Amino acid sequence: MKGVHVCTVMPATIDTPHFEQAANYTGHKVVAMPPVYSPERGRQGRRGPHPPPPT
């Protein structure tokens, strides 16, 4: 489609309490899938909305 631009950002796992605090009914320990980054490093990648492409 003309004029449509798509940008997908799929970060790796961010090490947050989610994996310790979320409900788990499997009976197994839940672990983050590598690579796992610190919250500080994950925040470095967030710079705001993607700028529009040049016209």
Side-chain angles (χ1 to χ4, degrees):
M1 291 166 98
K2 193 173 188 178
V4 175
H5 303 274
V6 177
C7 176
T8 303
V9 177
M10 302 177 93
T13 307
I14 306 298
D15 187 18
T16 62
H18 169 79
F19 296 98
E20 290 83 28
Q21 296 177 358
N24 175 12
Y25 302 103
T26 65
H28 298 91
K29 181 180 178 185
V30 178
V31 294
M33 189 168 63
V36 179
Y37 296 111
S38 71
E40 293 78 19
R41 183 162 181 197
R43 185 176 37 220
Q44 288 175 351
R46 176 72 171 98
R47 299 286 185 225
H50 194 307
T55 56

Coordinates of all heavy atoms in Angstrom, one line a residue:
M1 N 0.8 -1.2 0.0 CA 0.0 0.0 0.0 C 0.9 1.2 0.0 O 1.8 1.3 0.8 CB -0.9 0.0 1.2 CG -1.9 -1.1 1.2 SD -2.6 -1.3 2.9 CE -4.1 -0.3 2.8
K2 N 0.6 2.1 -0.8 CA 1.3 3.3 -0.9 C 1.1 4.2 0.3 O 0.0 4.4 0.7 CB 0.9 4.1 -2.2 CG 1.9 5.2 -2.6 CD 1.5 5.8 -3.9 CE 2.5 6.8 -4.3 NZ 2.2 7.3 -5.7
G3 N 2.2 4.7 0.9 CA 2.1 5.6 2.0 C 2.0 4.9 3.4 O 1.9 5.6 4.4
V4 N 2.0 3.6 3.4 CA 2.0 2.8 4.7 C 3.4 2.4 5.0 O 4.1 1.8 4.2 CB 1.0 1.6 4.5 CG1 1.1 0.8 5.8 CG2 -0.4 2.1 4.2
H5 N 3.8 2.7 6.2 CA 5.1 2.3 6.7 C 4.9 1.6 8.1 O 4.2 2.1 8.9 CB 6.0 3.5 6.9 CG 6.2 4.3 5.6 ND1 7.2 4.0 4.7 CD2 5.5 5.4 5.1 CE1 7.1 4.8 3.7 NE2 6.1 5.7 3.9
V6 N 5.6 0.5 8.2 CA 5.5 -0.3 9.5 C 6.8 -0.5 10.1 O 7.8 -0.8 9.4 CB 4.9 -1.7 9.1 CG1 4.7 -2.6 10.4 CG2 3.5 -1.5 8.5
C7 N 6.8 -0.4 11.4 CA 8.0 -0.6 12.2 C 7.7 -1.5 13.4 O 6.8 -1.1 14.2 CB 8.6 0.7 12.7 SG 10.1 0.5 13.7
T8 N 8.2 -2.6 13.5 CA 8.0 -3.5 14.6 C 9.2 -3.6 15.5 O 10.3 -3.9 15.1 CB 7.6 -4.9 14.1 OG1 6.5 -4.8 13.3 CG2 7.3 -5.9 15.3
V9 N 9.0 -3.3 16.8 CA 10.1 -3.5 17.8 C 9.7 -4.6 18.7 O 8.7 -4.6 19.4 CB 10.3 -2.1 18.6 CG1 11.3 -2.3 19.6 CG2 10.6 -1.0 17.6
M10 N 10.6 -5.6 18.8 CA 10.4 -6.8 19.6 C 11.6 -6.9 20.5 O 12.5 -7.6 20.2 CB 10.1 -8.0 18.7 CG 9.0 -7.8 17.8 SD 8.8 -9.2 16.7 CE 7.6 -10.1 17.7
P11 N 11.5 -6.3 21.7 CA 12.7 -6.4 22.6 C 12.8 -7.8 23.2 O 11.9 -8.6 23.2 CB 12.3 -5.4 23.7 CG 10.8 -5.3 23.7 CD 10.4 -5.6 22.2
A12 N 14.0 -8.0 23.6 CA 14.3 -9.3 24.4 C 13.6 -9.2 25.7 O 12.9 -8.2 26.1 CB 15.8 -9.5 24.5
T13 N 13.8 -10.2 26.5 CA 13.2 -10.2 27.9 C 13.8 -9.2 28.8 O 15.0 -9.1 28.8 CB 13.3 -11.6 28.5 OG1 12.8 -12.5 27.6 CG2 12.5 -11.7 29.8
I14 N 13.0 -8.4 29.5 CA 13.5 -7.4 30.5 C 13.3 -8.1 31.9 O 12.2 -8.6 32.2 CB 12.7 -6.1 30.4 CG1 12.7 -5.6 29.0 CG2 13.2 -5.1 31.4 CD1 14.1 -5.2 28.4
D15 N 14.4 -8.1 32.7 CA 14.3 -8.7 34.0 C 13.5 -7.8 34.9 O 14.0 -6.9 35.5 CB 15.8 -8.8 34.5 CG 15.8 -9.6 35.8 OD1 14.9 -10.3 36.1 OD2 16.9 -9.5 36.5
T16 N 12.3 -8.2 35.1 CA 11.3 -7.6 36.0 C 10.7 -8.6 37.0 O 10.9 -9.8 36.7 CB 10.2 -6.9 35.3 OG1 9.4 -7.9 34.6 CG2 10.7 -5.9 34.3
P17 N 10.1 -8.2 38.0 CA 9.5 -9.2 39.0 C 8.4 -10.0 38.4 O 7.8 -10.9 39.0 CB 8.9 -8.3 40.1 CG 9.6 -7.0 40.0 CD 10.0 -6.9 38.5
H18 N 8.0 -9.8 37.1 CA 6.9 -10.5 36.5 C 7.1 -12.0 36.6 O 6.2 -12.8 36.9 CB 6.9 -10.1 35.0 CG 6.0 -11.0 34.2 ND1 4.7 -10.9 34.1 CD2 6.3 -12.1 33.4 CE1 4.1 -11.8 33.3 NE2 5.1 -12.5 32.8
F19 N 8.3 -12.5 36.5 CA 8.6 -14.0 36.5 C 8.5 -14.6 37.9 O 8.3 -15.8 38.0 CB 9.9 -14.3 35.8 CG 9.9 -13.9 34.4 CD1 10.5 -12.7 34.0 CD2 9.3 -14.7 33.4 CE1 10.5 -12.3 32.6 CE2 9.3 -14.3 32.1 CZ 9.9 -13.1 31.7
E20 N 8.6 -13.8 38.9 CA 8.5 -14.2 40.3 C 7.1 -14.0 40.8 O 6.6 -14.8 41.7 CB 9.5 -13.5 41.2 CG 10.9 -13.9 41.0 CD 11.6 -13.1 39.8 OE1 11.1 -12.0 39.6 OE2 12.5 -13.7 39.2
Q21 N 6.4 -13.0 40.3 CA 5.1 -12.7 40.9 C 3.9 -13.1 40.1 O 2.8 -13.1 40.6 CB 5.0 -11.1 41.1 CG 6.1 -10.6 42.1 CD 6.1 -9.1 42.2 OE1 5.3 -8.4 41.5 NE2 6.9 -8.6 43.0
A22 N 4.0 -13.5 38.9 CA 2.9 -13.8 38.0 C 2.4 -15.2 38.5 O 3.1 -16.0 39.0 CB 3.3 -13.9 36.6
A23 N 1.1 -15.4 38.2 CA 0.5 -16.7 38.6 C 1.1 -17.8 37.7 O 1.4 -17.6 36.6 CB -1.0 -16.7 38.3
N24 N 1.4 -19.0 38.4 CA 2.0 -20.1 37.7 C 1.3 -21.4 38.2 O 1.5 -21.7 39.3 CB 3.5 -20.1 38.0 CG 4.2 -21.3 37.4 OD1 3.6 -22.0 36.6 ND2 5.4 -21.6 37.8
Y25 N 0.6 -22.0 37.3 CA -0.1 -23.2 37.7 C 0.5 -24.5 37.1 O -0.1 -25.6 37.2 CB -1.6 -23.1 37.3 CG -2.3 -21.9 37.8 CD1 -2.5 -20.8 37.1 CD2 -2.7 -21.9 39.2 CE1 -3.2 -19.7 37.6 CE2 -3.3 -20.8 39.7 CZ -3.6 -19.7 39.0 OH -4.2 -18.6 39.5
T26 N 1.7 -24.4 36.6 CA 2.3 -25.5 35.9 C 3.1 -26.4 36.9 O 3.4 -27.6 36.6 CB 3.4 -25.0 34.9 OG1 4.4 -24.4 35.5 CG2 2.7 -24.1 33.8
G27 N 3.4 -25.9 38.1 CA 4.2 -26.7 39.0 C 5.7 -26.6 38.7 O 6.5 -27.2 39.4
H28 N 6.1 -25.8 37.7 CA 7.5 -25.7 37.3 C 7.9 -24.2 37.5 O 7.1 -23.3 37.5 CB 7.7 -26.0 35.8 CG 7.4 -27.4 35.5 ND1 6.2 -27.8 35.1 CD2 8.2 -28.5 35.5 CE1 6.2 -29.1 34.9 NE2 7.4 -29.6 35.2
K29 N 9.2 -24.0 37.8 CA 9.7 -22.6 37.9 C 9.7 -21.9 36.6 O 10.1 -22.5 35.6 CB 11.1 -22.7 38.5 CG 11.7 -21.3 38.7 CD 13.1 -21.3 39.2 CE 13.7 -19.9 39.3 NZ 15.1 -19.9 39.7
V30 N 9.2 -20.7 36.6 CA 9.1 -19.9 35.3 C 10.4 -19.1 35.2 O 10.8 -18.4 36.2 CB 7.9 -19.0 35.3 CG1 7.8 -18.2 34.1 CG2 6.6 -19.8 35.5
V31 N 11.1 -19.2 34.1 CA 12.3 -18.4 33.9 C 12.2 -17.6 32.6 O 11.4 -18.0 31.7 CB 13.5 -19.3 33.8 CG1 13.8 -20.0 35.2 CG2 13.4 -20.4 32.8
A32 N 12.8 -16.5 32.6 CA 12.8 -15.7 31.3 C 13.7 -16.3 30.3 O 14.7 -16.9 30.5 CB 13.4 -14.3 31.7
M33 N 13.2 -16.2 29.0 CA 14.0 -16.8 27.9 C 15.1 -15.8 27.5 O 14.9 -14.6 27.4 CB 13.0 -16.9 26.7 CG 13.6 -17.7 25.6 SD 12.4 -18.2 24.3 CE 11.9 -16.6 23.7
P34 N 16.3 -16.3 27.4 CA 17.5 -15.4 27.1 C 17.3 -14.9 25.7 O 16.7 -15.5 24.9 CB 18.7 -16.4 27.2 CG 18.2 -17.7 27.6 CD 16.7 -17.7 27.6
P35 N 17.9 -13.7 25.5 CA 18.7 -12.9 26.4 C 17.8 -12.1 27.3 O 16.7 -11.7 26.9 CB 19.5 -12.0 25.4 CG 18.6 -11.8 24.2 CD 17.9 -13.2 24.1
V36 N 18.3 -11.9 28.5 CA 17.6 -11.1 29.5 C 18.4 -9.9 29.8 O 19.5 -9.9 30.1 CB 17.4 -12.0 30.8 CG1 16.6 -11.2 31.9 CG2 16.7 -13.3 30.5
Y37 N 17.7 -8.7 29.7 CA 18.3 -7.4 29.9 C 17.8 -6.8 31.2 O 16.7 -7.0 31.6 CB 18.1 -6.5 28.7 CG 18.8 -7.0 27.5 CD1 18.0 -7.5 26.4 CD2 20.2 -7.1 27.4 CE1 18.6 -8.0 25.3 CE2 20.8 -7.6 26.2 CZ 20.0 -8.0 25.2 OH 20.6 -8.5 24.0
S38 N 18.6 -5.9 31.8 CA 18.2 -5.2 33.0 C 17.2 -4.1 32.6 O 17.1 -3.7 31.4 CB 19.4 -4.5 33.6 OG 19.8 -3.4 32.8
P39 N 16.3 -3.7 33.5 CA 15.3 -2.6 33.2 C 16.0 -1.4 32.7 O 15.5 -0.7 31.8 CB 14.6 -2.4 34.5 CG 14.8 -3.7 35.2 CD 16.1 -4.2 34.8
E40 N 17.2 -1.1 33.2 CA 17.9 0.1 32.8 C 18.3 0.0 31.3 O 18.2 1.0 30.6 CB 19.2 0.4 33.7 CG 18.8 0.7 35.1 CD 18.4 -0.5 35.9 OE1 18.7 -1.6 35.6 OE2 17.8 -0.3 37.0
R41 N 18.8 -1.1 30.9 CA 19.2 -1.3 29.5 C 18.0 -1.3 28.6 O 18.0 -0.7 27.5 CB 20.0 -2.6 29.4 CG 20.5 -2.7 27.9 CD 21.6 -3.7 27.8 NE 22.0 -3.8 26.4 CZ 22.6 -4.8 25.9 NH1 23.0 -5.8 26.7 NH2 22.9 -4.8 24.7
G42 N 16.9 -1.8 29.0 CA 15.7 -1.8 28.2 C 15.2 -0.4 28.0 O 14.7 -0.1 27.0
R43 N 15.3 0.4 29.0 CA 14.8 1.8 29.0 C 15.7 2.6 28.0 O 15.2 3.5 27.4 CB 14.9 2.4 30.4 CG 14.3 3.8 30.4 CD 14.3 4.4 31.8 NE 15.5 3.9 32.5 CZ 15.5 3.5 33.8 NH1 14.4 3.5 34.5 NH2 16.6 3.1 34.4
Q44 N 16.9 2.3 27.8 CA 17.8 3.0 26.9 C 17.3 2.9 25.5 O 17.5 3.9 24.7 CB 19.2 2.4 26.9 CG 20.0 2.7 28.2 CD 21.3 2.1 28.2 OE1 21.6 1.2 27.4 NE2 22.1 2.4 29.2
G45 N 16.6 1.9 25.1 CA 16.1 1.7 23.7 C 14.9 2.5 23.4 O 14.5 2.7 22.3
R46 N 14.2 3.0 24.5 CA 12.9 3.7 24.3 C 13.3 5.2 24.1 O 13.7 5.9 24.9 CB 12.1 3.5 25.5 CG 10.8 4.3 25.5 CD 9.8 3.7 24.5 NE 8.5 4.3 24.6 CZ 8.1 5.3 23.8 NH1 8.9 5.8 22.8 NH2 6.9 5.8 23.9
R47 N 13.0 5.7 22.9 CA 13.3 7.0 22.5 C 12.1 7.8 22.1 O 12.2 8.9 21.6 CB 14.4 7.1 21.4 CG 15.7 6.4 21.8 CD 16.5 7.3 22.7 NE 17.8 6.7 22.9 CZ 18.3 6.6 24.1 NH1 17.7 7.0 25.2 NH2 19.5 6.0 24.2
G48 N 11.0 7.2 22.1 CA 9.8 7.9 21.6 C 9.3 7.4 20.3 O 9.8 6.4 19.8
P49 N 8.2 7.9 19.8 CA 7.6 7.4 18.5 C 8.6 7.5 17.4 O 9.4 8.4 17.4 CB 6.4 8.3 18.3 CG 6.4 9.3 19.3 CD 7.5 9.1 20.3
H50 N 8.5 6.6 16.5 CA 9.3 6.6 15.3 C 9.0 7.9 14.4 O 7.8 8.2 14.2 CB 9.0 5.4 14.5 CG 10.1 5.1 13.4 ND1 10.4 6.1 12.5 CD2 10.8 4.1 13.2 CE1 11.4 5.5 11.7 NE2 11.6 4.3 12.1
P51 N 10.0 8.6 14.0 CA 9.7 9.8 13.2 C 9.1 9.4 11.8 O 9.4 8.3 11.3 CB 11.1 10.5 13.0 CG 12.1 9.4 13.2 CD 11.4 8.4 14.2
P52 N 8.3 10.3 11.2 CA 7.7 9.9 9.9 C 8.8 9.9 8.9 O 9.9 10.6 9.0 CB 6.8 11.1 9.6 CG 7.2 12.2 10.5 CD 7.9 11.6 11.7
P53 N 8.7 9.1 7.8 CA 9.7 9.0 6.8 C 9.8 10.3 6.0 O 8.8 11.0 6.0 CB 9.2 7.8 5.9 CG 7.7 7.8 6.2 CD 7.5 8.2 7.6
P54 N 10.9 10.6 5.5 CA 11.1 11.8 4.7 C 10.1 11.7 3.4 O 9.9 10.7 2.9 CB 12.5 11.8 4.2 CG 13.0 10.4 4.5 CD 12.1 9.8 5.5
T55 N 9.7 12.9 3.1 CA 8.8 12.9 1.9 C 9.5 13.4 0.6 O 10.6 13.9 0.7 CB 7.6 13.9 2.1 OG1 8.2 15.2 2.5 CG2 6.7 13.4 3.2

